[in-house]
Amino acid sequence: MMQLRAFILATSSFAALLGAREIALAERGDAWWTPGEGREFPAQIDYENDYGTLRVLLTGGPLATKDHPFFRPVGPRGRACITCHQPADAMSLSVETVRKRWDKTQGKDPLFAAYDGSNCPTLKQDERASHSLLLDHGLIRIQRPWPPRETKPDFTIETVRDPTSCNSGGKYGPGAGNISVYRRPRPVANLKYLLAVGFAYDPKQGMPLPLDPESGEPMSGNLMADGRAGTLHAQMHDAAATHLELLQHFDRADMARIVDFESRIFTAQQIDKRGGALNADGAEGGAEKLATSEPGQLGSIGRAVWSEFAAWETPKPGLTPEENAFRASVARGAKVFRDKTFLISDSAGINSPIGFGNPVRNSCVFCHNMSQMGNDVAPGQVDLGTTTLPFADPAPHLPLFRITCTAAPHPHYGRVIYTNDPGYALTTGRCADVGKITLQSMRGLSARAPYFSNGSAKDLRAIIDYYERRYHIGYTEQEKQDLVNLMSVL
């Protein structure tokens, strides 16, 4: 954590840092960064999207990308980290971008490499159908060892449905000691928030936090969907061996350069087509706010979340009625997010094993509580039901697994569980962790649809509709639209 705090906002002022010569405005059609192309990464890049403009900031000044390990093509397919972490998509990857890349390259871009850019490496790679999960849902194949190498699981896995053929084939499925699940690429940006530790222990498990084996410091658990890597170094080892198909890891010098770059990147929506600049008229949104602020700490839960838009409650002279109405909607959405309570039930990591009760009444900020960011100050994974029956939306395009607990039954699902992705349980081997997923970052949402780890929410409204179904919240139509408007400006 010390190295991440050290990089933040080197002492130069943003006025000098973001001089006109370092600012680039990129149109969507020319936004793709190809591995090895060698262009300079500016201190600021603005990308247009359906809701307005996303800003990408690189604190400390521009970066020469020639031969930089984040941008350098490696492995048999010529991929790089930048392949799946595109600046225009808030350092993630949107379905829209994926489809444009397929059309432009006729499916030949390294993004569509057989190993994880297709539904399964055994399929015919020149057919669109073999890449449908990436093209239609933004999903990358994640191959996990099964059973886990370092622990004996207390559950078994059977494949009930396998539309991709990977979990029933002999080369990539359980017969070969693997399980394939499909997940969205997580953004590589705003990392000082994702790596911040607000508790001295994991309150979702009631256990001590795992420690970084190199530094000895506690880890936040917010980097990867299933918690399999708790540090940037561990994440790089994982990516090198899988997504980049390298036979050896990055060396320490390369890892240091990647950590430096990833630690200086901040992304957020900066301008809204309906409400204007998100850091104007008293509002404090935008990427600069993320770069210049510190992560919320224990004790900041609740009232501080999205307070940067409180000034928009009051109409501003000189704006159109439509602009003022949109701004008021965003401010109302922030209040609904903080103040509208509902019963949260049968959600492991919230209702169990800790003592909040089942159900517990709270609002969205119970889990999305870090100021400026909306991820969780408290480390650990939770199960919101997005991948597990009976709560998950129908997903016939995804595999379906039957989990049978061999020791104690799951506290909410019982002994037999059906899921598209066992999540954190693939890391821990514990049946009680089935369905737990690391909460998503809430910044740059407008640039990187679809949402949830399995891409099941195709747009921002679908996120709200899922939570309405899951917890029977009782949002009014106005409240739903206010929440969508809030998320669109983050």
Side-chain angles (χ1 to χ4, degrees), residues 268-270 278-280 283-289 308-309 443 489:
Q269 197 77 348
Q270 191 71 23
L278 301 174
N279 59 348
E284 298 180 280
E288 289 90 348
K289 177 70 173 179
E308 50 262 54
F309 299 106
R443 284 294 189 167
V489 302

Side-chain angles (χ1 to χ4, degrees), residues 15-38:
L17 174 64
L18 303 181
R21 67 180 182 82
E22 296 175 344
I23 296 177
L25 177 63
E27 296 294 335
R28 243 193 199 175
D30 190 33
W32 183 262
W33 284 73
T34 300
E37 66 178 85

Side-chain angles (χ1 to χ4, degrees), residues 122-323:
T122 58
L123 301 175
K124 294 181 178 179
Q125 296 301 306
D126 58 349
E127 295 181 1
R128 186 193 188 282
S130 299
H131 304 267
S132 61
L133 293 182
L134 181 53
L135 286 162
D136 297 336
H137 306 279
L139 300 175
I140 294 288
R141 188 178 75 92
I142 307 295
Q143 182 171 295
R144 298 301 318 275
W146 187 258
R149 298 189 179 106
E150 298 181 359
T151 185
K152 183 178 180 181
D154 67 357
F155 64 93
T156 61
I157 297 181
E158 301 170 82
T159 303
V160 176
R161 181 182 68 223
D162 189 25
T164 69
S165 77
C166 247
N167 286 296
S168 52
K171 188 172 182 181
Y172 295 98
N178 299 305
I179 290 287
S180 289
V181 292
Y182 300 84
R183 298 176 185 155
R184 298 281 291 118
R186 294 174 69 86
V188 180
N190 308 323
L191 287 179
K192 71 174 174 180
Y193 296 90
L194 298 180
L195 293 171
V197 177
F199 279 70
Y201 65 97
D202 178 352
K204 298 181 177 70
Q205 300 278 358
M207 298 172 62
L209 286 178
L211 301 179
D212 179 348
E214 295 185 16
S215 70
E217 295 190 10
M219 300 182 294
S220 72
N222 282 328
L223 276 182
M224 305 189 79
D226 56 18
R228 67 185 183 274
T231 67
L232 292 178
H233 282 181
Q235 186 274 329
M236 280 183 265
H237 282 304
D238 180 88
T242 56
H243 307 306
L244 299 177
E245 300 180 76
L246 298 183
L247 298 179
Q248 63 183 28
H249 296 304
F250 291 113
D251 63 30
R252 297 193 70 83
D254 278 346
M255 287 194 293
R257 295 176 72 191
I258 294 174
V259 168
D260 170 74
F261 172 71
E262 292 180 343
S263 299
R264 296 194 287 124
I265 283 284
F266 295 89
T267 65
Q269 197 77 348
Q270 191 71 23
I271 300 171
D272 186 88
K273 290 180 177 178
R274 300 150 294 176
L278 301 174
N279 59 348
D281 300 310
E284 298 180 280
E288 289 90 348
K289 177 70 173 179
L290 291 175
T292 56
S293 299
E294 289 300 318
Q297 298 298 316
L298 179 60
S300 68
I301 292 176
R303 302 286 71 83
V305 178
W306 313 139
S307 60
E308 50 262 54
F309 299 106
W312 279 6
E313 293 180 30
T314 305
K316 299 297 185 295
L319 297 182
T320 67
E322 292 77 16
E323 287 172 325

Side-chain angles (χ1 to χ4, degrees), residues 412-490:
H412 307 298
Y413 297 124
R415 192 165 296 278
V416 178
I417 309 164
Y418 291 89
T419 181
N420 303 127
D421 184 347
Y424 189 44
L426 291 176
T427 299
T428 66
R430 296 191 298 257
C431 186
D433 293 331
V434 170
K436 287 184 180 179
I437 297 288
T438 302
L439 293 174
Q440 298 286 301
S441 163
M442 292 192 68
R443 284 294 189 167
L445 291 172
S446 292
R448 53 184 176 89
Y451 310 103
F452 295 141
S453 65
N454 59 357
S456 57
K458 67 178 182 178
D459 53 29
L460 296 175
R461 175 57 185 261
I463 298 175
I464 305 303
D465 289 342
Y466 173 80
Y467 283 117
E468 174 69 28
R469 293 192 303 272
R470 173 65 178 88
Y471 295 115
H472 309 290
I473 298 172
Y475 287 132
T476 66
E477 188 61 32
Q478 181 66 68
E479 287 173 329
K480 291 179 181 180
Q481 187 60 53
D482 292 343
L483 285 167
V484 168
N485 290 342
L486 168 68
M487 290 191 296
S488 74
V489 302
L490 297 180

